[in-house]
Amino acid sequence: MSGNDAAAPKRIQIIEAATVVFSQKGFYKAKVEEIAEAAMVGKGTVYEYFKSKQDLFQQMLIFISQKYEQAVKEQVQQVDSFSDKLRVLIEANFNFSEEYKNMAKILLIDAPPMSEELHQIIQQSKRQNLQRLAALIDEAINKGQARRVNSYLAAQVILGALAVSGGQVMFEDEFTSSKESVTELVDIILNGIGY
Amino acid sequence: MSGNDAAAPKRIQIIEAATVVFSQKGFYKAKVEEIAEAAMVGKGTVYEYFKSKQDLFQQMLIFISQKYEQAVKEQVQQVDSFSDKLRVLIEANFNFSEEYKNMAKILLIDAPPMSEELHQIIQQSKRQNLQRLAALIDEAINKGQARRVNSYLAAQVILGALAVSGGQVMFEDEFTSSKESVTELVDIILNGIGY
Amino acid sequence: MSGNDAAAPKRIQIIEAATVVFSQKGFYKAKVEEIAEAAMVGKGTVYEYFKSKQDLFQQMLIFISQKYEQAVKEQVQQVDSFSDKLRVLIEANFNFSEEYKNMAKILLIDAPPMSEELHQIIQQSKRQNLQRLAALIDEAINKGQARRVNSYLAAQVILGALAVSGGQVMFEDEFTSSKESVTELVDIILNGIGY
Amino acid sequence: MSGNDAAAPKRIQIIEAATVVFSQKGFYKAKVEEIAEAAMVGKGTVYEYFKSKQDLFQQMLIFISQKYEQAVKEQVQQVDSFSDKLRVLIEANFNFSEEYKNMAKILLIDAPPMSEELHQIIQQSKRQNLQRLAALIDEAINKGQARRVNSYLAAQVILGALAVSGGQVMFEDEFTSSKESVTELVDIILNGIGY
DNA sequence: AATGAATGAGTCTTCATTCAT
DNA sequence: CATGAATGAAGACTCATTCAT
């Protein structure tokens, strides 16, 4: 009757192991057995809780996206000004990307063609993400804190910049995306680069 | 009349087939035989020109990145003002992304473990890209056409936004990445979203 | 009643199937699937117990050479006179060769070019074989039962003769090496062919 | 019109290259292309002269066995006494083995499934070999130079010993099959190892 | 419920052979 | 005759999945 078990025993254990292994190796190179080992359960046990490797991957993605939702939503609500919200959002992204490396990219960008079902899940997650940010921008626009830009497109710009800058996706060595750069990033996004 | 053959001897034929198939299926789901079929050659022929499936993938990547360089560099040089250059760069990206659709995603997510050599090549390509854009921004700053922002970071923001927006990755259904959005994108990048 | 299973768990089952198939077809023409079938297990099961086809081959060789050791050593110890030991050794060889056909040749002579590791294994087995026989001859010499010949060379002569005569290696049809010939063989070896 | 070509047209060139490559690698690991390279002809040219890889192997075997016949027959006829003939035969074998190193092993172990025809040819060659030696022994017996042993069996013993000892198969490190060992070998064969 | 031994479908890769030049 | 680019049959090996315990 351990609180641990009660919370979600094996299933969560396995999902968490999966986040680690899938993050490190990607979907195809990750072996089910490896995940089972990391979760300290037998290989067969994975199939007690998940229909297939892909199913596990999908469940994991849902799990992660929920964590992401949480992390971002809560923190953004705790500050008021638009620029602070932006800053918090960017920081949350940095941290999240740090933890879930490749998985973050999938949520932000897209997955390679997999099952249609999975595609839907990812699309939905991305859309939510985008819409939340677009709503944030619209709100700022209404409050007079932002220009009347296409909020959806602006949200894309911001998430795109994050996917790249934050996810050490493209610039790995060059620029270890530090806290200082967050300030500059916010500045660029708020004020643009032109006069 | 072998102008056709000359322009596309077997090696190129295969690489082009590879871009199509890898783009659609990702590295792991793409079958060598399928690529061979798409290139209208025998399966064995692929191995006459490429050491392995991975090698083919890598050669293809180099091929694509060269095409990208060309496409962008040339077009950017043909206009003058900073905002025009930005617009052209973004348009070039839209077009390029159109052509090599999922390739960016695959690189991000589904890529095979790359040889250190290829890693270098890709890094270098990205760096060139970044530096070219950063130089463009610096020039604009010096000419008084842009604010004194961190040009390198700004370049990252722009390329990040492009990677995501341009790859119709996020628009898919909602927006068909149209010419109009280019204008808005340039506006957001130049002027930011805040007042 | 699993006495059978206990005596021959999967690993041994597979090795024994391998001795049969490799003996009949040789290393290169033997297919792993064929061995699996002969062992009445799935193809994949072979790879549960052996790293590769070559590994299976090596393990099998070790298995056989151990059986050979046993067969020969024990029987030779049960008789006393030098000529009897010789006779027993020769007979044991006939029987062994009968059972493991081509494999016996490999142990006596050499293997096709394979891994250095395997080469070592075989060399060692051959050396042991040779040394045991040379020791037998030395002992006979010391007891005054044999002339002061180079025992190592003599051992080579004997094993060479066996490899050929016993292994129906070269003369297959002509001379189905029978028990009668053992007596003559021992005579020739002991007394030579000259006066 | 070069004497060179006449003496060694493509066919012989290829066969000689084949002896080298097959000797080193065995039948299955030897690549046709490699043989072609060694013969300094195009891969396709091999197929102008030989129906298949197997055919080439077979033709090569015939070529070698003829060379062996020659080498042994001629030299044995040039000396008189039985023990000298024996010595010469053994020496010829050493030299021959030196040249075609692994060929014997390959024939024994790594040989491809042979056509019935080739099988006959090889059998015949071996039979000739055996019979020539048996005849030699019979002659010696009649002249009172050898004991009344089964000459055919004795011939087998001798050739068996040679196959093994001569092929530096067993000596490798320990003994470098030297001229001295020839003398001892003859002694053992003539006088046996017992008193 | 938990396990891991057993399985075979699925793929990359090799290389003998062909044939257009 | 000579060539080597092109080919595809064949086979080793991986790994998701099953199921008897």
Side-chain angles (χ1 to χ4, degrees):
Chain A
M1 219 207 299
S2 74
N4 199 3
D5 266 13
K10 297 274 162 72
R11 187 170 186 284
I12 297 297
Q13 249 177 71
I14 295 170
I15 284 194
E16 284 181 336
T19 64
V20 174
V21 178
F22 279 134
S23 284
Q24 282 170 354
K25 311 244 180 161
F27 181 78
Y28 291 100
K29 298 255 294 182
K31 310 295 163 230
V32 172
E33 182 157 27
E34 201 179 358
I35 293 170
E37 267 169 32
M40 300 197 301
V41 300
K43 196 185 349 172
T45 306
V46 173
Y47 286 85
E48 287 292 322
Y49 292 89
F50 304 92
K51 221 174 28 261
S52 66
K53 184 187 183 185
Q54 234 192 79
D55 181 42
L56 168 57
F57 186 71
Q58 299 186 178
Q59 302 302 323
M60 176 212 66
L61 237 34
I62 293 171
F63 177 83
I64 285 186
S65 76
Q66 283 168 348
K67 275 204 143 187
Y68 178 82
E69 303 271 320
Q70 253 185 335
V72 172
K73 203 191 300 188
E74 284 178 14
Q75 294 180 49
V76 168
Q77 285 179 330
Q78 291 175 342
V79 295
D80 281 334
S81 83
F82 179 52
S83 63
D84 279 347
K85 280 179 193 292
L86 217 48
R87 184 181 332 278
V88 162
L89 187 113
I90 289 171
E91 274 167 3
N93 253 283
F94 274 125
N95 297 334
F96 186 79
S97 297
E98 192 87 14
E99 195 172 346
Y100 293 107
K101 292 199 165 60
N102 299 281
M103 291 308 104
K105 295 183 228 165
I106 292 179
L107 288 183
L108 245 28
I109 300 185
D110 205 348
M114 296 190 125
S115 75
E116 188 47 35
E117 195 189 345
L118 179 55
H119 188 67
Q120 295 308 326
I121 291 172
I122 294 176
Q123 284 299 324
Q124 196 202 341
S125 172
K126 287 192 314 185
R127 207 169 297 139
Q128 273 180 21
N129 228 346
L130 260 180
Q131 281 169 347
R132 180 171 40 252
L133 183 49
L136 193 70
I137 295 173
D138 278 331
E139 196 190 315
I141 292 176
N142 289 334
K143 287 187 183 166
Q145 294 170 329
R147 296 194 301 124
R148 294 218 156 272
V149 294
N150 177 332
S151 64
Y152 206 78
L153 186 59
Q156 282 182 27
V157 169
I158 293 171
L159 289 181
L162 281 179
V164 172
S165 315
Q168 64 276 71
V169 173
M170 296 197 131
F171 315 101
E172 307 201 18
D173 333 292
E174 316 292 319
F175 198 93
T176 322
S177 45
S178 59
K179 293 295 153 88
E180 303 94 62
S181 59
V182 173
T183 305
E184 293 194 85
L185 206 49
V186 171
D187 174 53
I188 290 173
I189 290 167
L190 283 181
N191 301 315
I193 61 178
Y195 275 118
Chain B
M1 210 66 70
S2 64
N4 199 2
D5 265 12
K10 289 277 154 64
R11 187 172 186 280
I12 298 297
Q13 247 177 73
I14 295 170
I15 285 196
E16 285 180 337
T19 62
V20 173
V21 177
F22 280 134
S23 284
Q24 282 170 355
K25 310 245 179 163
F27 179 79
Y28 291 99
K29 299 246 290 186
K31 287 167 224 149
V32 171
E33 184 157 24
E34 203 178 356
I35 293 171
E37 268 169 30
M40 301 198 300
V41 300
K43 194 183 354 167
T45 306
V46 172
Y47 287 87
E48 287 289 318
Y49 293 89
F50 305 93
K51 241 190 343 281
S52 65
K53 184 185 181 184
Q54 240 194 72
D55 182 43
L56 169 56
F57 185 73
Q58 301 192 170
Q59 300 303 325
M60 175 208 68
L61 242 33
I62 293 171
F63 177 83
I64 287 184
S65 77
Q66 283 168 348
K67 274 204 145 187
Y68 178 82
E69 298 276 318
Q70 250 185 334
V72 171
K73 202 192 299 188
E74 285 178 12
Q75 295 181 48
V76 168
Q77 286 177 330
Q78 292 176 339
V79 294
D80 283 333
S81 84
F82 177 53
S83 63
D84 279 347
K85 278 179 194 290
L86 215 50
R87 185 183 329 281
V88 162
L89 189 112
I90 289 171
E91 273 167 3
N93 250 284
F94 273 125
N95 297 334
F96 185 80
S97 298
E98 189 88 14
E99 198 171 346
Y100 293 106
K101 289 198 163 67
N102 300 291
M103 204 43 78
K105 292 184 226 168
I106 290 168
L107 259 186
L108 252 33
I109 292 157
D110 188 38
M114 288 181 204
S115 73
E116 189 44 38
E117 190 198 12
L118 177 62
H119 191 68
Q120 294 309 324
I121 291 172
I122 292 183
Q123 283 300 323
Q124 197 204 340
S125 174
K126 286 195 272 183
R127 206 171 298 140
Q128 274 180 19
N129 226 348
L130 253 185
Q131 282 168 348
R132 182 170 39 246
L133 182 50
L136 193 69
I137 295 173
D138 278 330
E139 197 191 315
I141 292 176
N142 289 335
K143 287 187 183 166
Q145 295 171 328
R147 295 195 301 125
R148 293 217 157 273
V149 295
N150 177 332
S151 64
Y152 207 77
L153 183 59
Q156 281 186 23
V157 169
I158 293 171
L159 289 180
L162 284 180
V164 173
S165 317
Q168 69 276 74
V169 171
M170 300 198 119
F171 296 105
E172 303 225 18
D173 335 290
E174 282 111 56
F175 270 71
T176 320
S177 49
S178 58
K179 294 293 154 89
E180 301 94 63
S181 58
V182 173
T183 305
E184 292 194 86
L185 208 47
V186 172
D187 175 53
I188 291 173
I189 290 168
L190 283 181
N191 302 315
I193 61 179
Y195 275 118
Chain C
M1 219 55 74
S2 65
N4 199 2
D5 265 12
K10 289 278 153 64
R11 187 173 186 280
I12 299 297
Q13 248 177 71
I14 294 170
I15 284 196
E16 285 180 337
T19 63
V20 173
V21 178
F22 279 134
S23 284
Q24 282 170 355
K25 311 244 179 162
F27 180 79
Y28 292 100
K29 298 256 295 181
K31 285 166 225 152
V32 171
E33 184 157 24
E34 203 179 355
I35 293 171
E37 268 169 32
M40 299 199 299
V41 300
K43 192 185 356 164
T45 306
V46 173
Y47 288 88
E48 288 290 319
Y49 292 89
F50 304 93
K51 237 189 347 280
S52 65
K53 184 185 181 185
Q54 237 192 79
D55 181 43
L56 169 55
F57 186 72
Q58 298 188 181
Q59 301 302 324
M60 175 209 68
L61 238 32
I62 292 172
F63 177 84
I64 287 185
S65 77
Q66 283 168 347
K67 276 204 143 187
Y68 178 82
E69 302 273 319
Q70 252 185 332
V72 172
K73 204 190 300 188
E74 284 178 14
Q75 294 181 49
V76 168
Q77 285 178 330
Q78 291 175 340
V79 296
D80 282 333
S81 83
F82 179 52
S83 64
D84 280 346
K85 279 180 194 292
L86 217 47
R87 185 181 330 280
V88 162
L89 188 110
I90 289 170
E91 274 167 2
N93 252 284
F94 274 124
N95 297 334
F96 186 79
S97 296
E98 192 87 14
E99 196 171 347
Y100 293 107
K101 291 200 163 61
N102 298 282
M103 293 306 104
K105 295 183 225 165
I106 292 178
L107 288 181
L108 245 28
I109 300 182
D110 206 346
M114 294 190 128
S115 75
E116 188 47 35
E117 196 190 341
L118 178 56
H119 189 67
Q120 295 307 326
I121 291 172
I122 293 178
Q123 284 297 325
Q124 197 203 339
S125 173
K126 287 194 311 185
R127 207 171 295 140
Q128 274 181 18
N129 229 346
L130 260 180
Q131 282 169 349
R132 182 171 38 251
L133 182 51
L136 193 70
I137 295 172
D138 279 329
E139 198 190 313
I141 293 175
N142 289 335
K143 287 187 184 164
Q145 295 170 330
R147 296 195 301 126
R148 294 217 157 272
V149 295
N150 176 331
S151 65
Y152 206 77
L153 186 59
Q156 282 183 26
V157 170
I158 294 171
L159 288 181
L162 283 181
V164 173
S165 316
Q168 60 282 70
V169 173
M170 297 199 130
F171 315 103
E172 306 203 17
D173 334 293
E174 316 293 318
F175 197 91
T176 322
S177 47
S178 60
K179 293 294 155 89
E180 303 93 63
S181 60
V182 172
T183 305
E184 292 194 86
L185 206 48
V186 171
D187 175 54
I188 291 173
I189 290 167
L190 283 181
N191 302 315
I193 61 178
Y195 275 118
Chain D
M1 219 205 303
S2 75
N4 198 3
D5 265 10
K10 295 274 161 71
R11 187 171 186 282
I12 297 297
Q13 249 177 71
I14 294 170
I15 284 195
E16 285 181 336
T19 63
V20 173
V21 178
F22 279 133
S23 284
Q24 282 170 355
K25 311 245 180 159
F27 180 79
Y28 290 98
K29 300 247 288 187
K31 310 297 163 230
V32 171
E33 182 157 26
E34 202 179 357
I35 293 170
E37 267 170 31
M40 299 199 301
V41 300
K43 197 186 346 173
T45 306
V46 172
Y47 286 85
E48 287 292 323
Y49 292 89
F50 305 93
K51 222 175 23 262
S52 65
K53 183 187 183 184
Q54 241 192 69
D55 182 44
L56 169 57
F57 184 74
Q58 300 190 171
Q59 300 302 324
M60 175 209 68
L61 241 33
I62 293 171
F63 177 83
I64 287 184
S65 76
Q66 283 168 349
K67 275 203 143 187
Y68 178 82
E69 299 276 318
Q70 251 186 334
V72 172
K73 202 191 300 187
E74 284 178 12
Q75 294 180 50
V76 168
Q77 285 178 332
Q78 291 175 340
V79 295
D80 281 335
S81 84
F82 178 52
S83 64
D84 279 348
K85 280 181 193 289
L86 216 48
R87 185 182 330 280
V88 162
L89 188 111
I90 289 171
E91 273 167 2
N93 250 284
F94 273 125
N95 297 334
F96 185 79
S97 298
E98 190 87 16
E99 198 171 344
Y100 294 105
K101 287 197 163 69
N102 300 291
M103 204 45 78
K105 288 186 228 168
I106 291 168
L107 259 186
L108 253 31
I109 291 157
D110 188 38
M114 288 180 202
S115 72
E116 189 46 37
E117 190 198 13
L118 177 62
H119 192 69
Q120 294 308 326
I121 290 172
I122 292 184
Q123 282 301 322
Q124 197 204 338
S125 174
K126 285 195 272 183
R127 205 171 300 139
Q128 274 179 19
N129 224 352
L130 253 185
Q131 282 170 349
R132 181 169 40 248
L133 182 51
L136 193 69
I137 295 174
D138 278 330
E139 196 190 315
I141 292 176
N142 288 337
K143 287 188 184 164
Q145 294 169 330
R147 297 195 300 123
R148 293 218 157 271
V149 294
N150 176 331
S151 64
Y152 207 77
L153 184 60
Q156 281 185 23
V157 170
I158 293 170
L159 289 181
L162 285 180
V164 174
S165 317
Q168 71 276 71
V169 172
M170 300 199 120
F171 296 104
E172 301 223 17
D173 335 290
E174 281 112 58
F175 270 72
T176 320
S177 50
S178 59
K179 294 294 153 88
E180 302 95 63
S181 58
V182 173
T183 306
E184 293 195 87
L185 207 48
V186 173
D187 175 53
I188 290 173
I189 290 168
L190 282 181
N191 302 314
I193 61 178
Y195 275 117

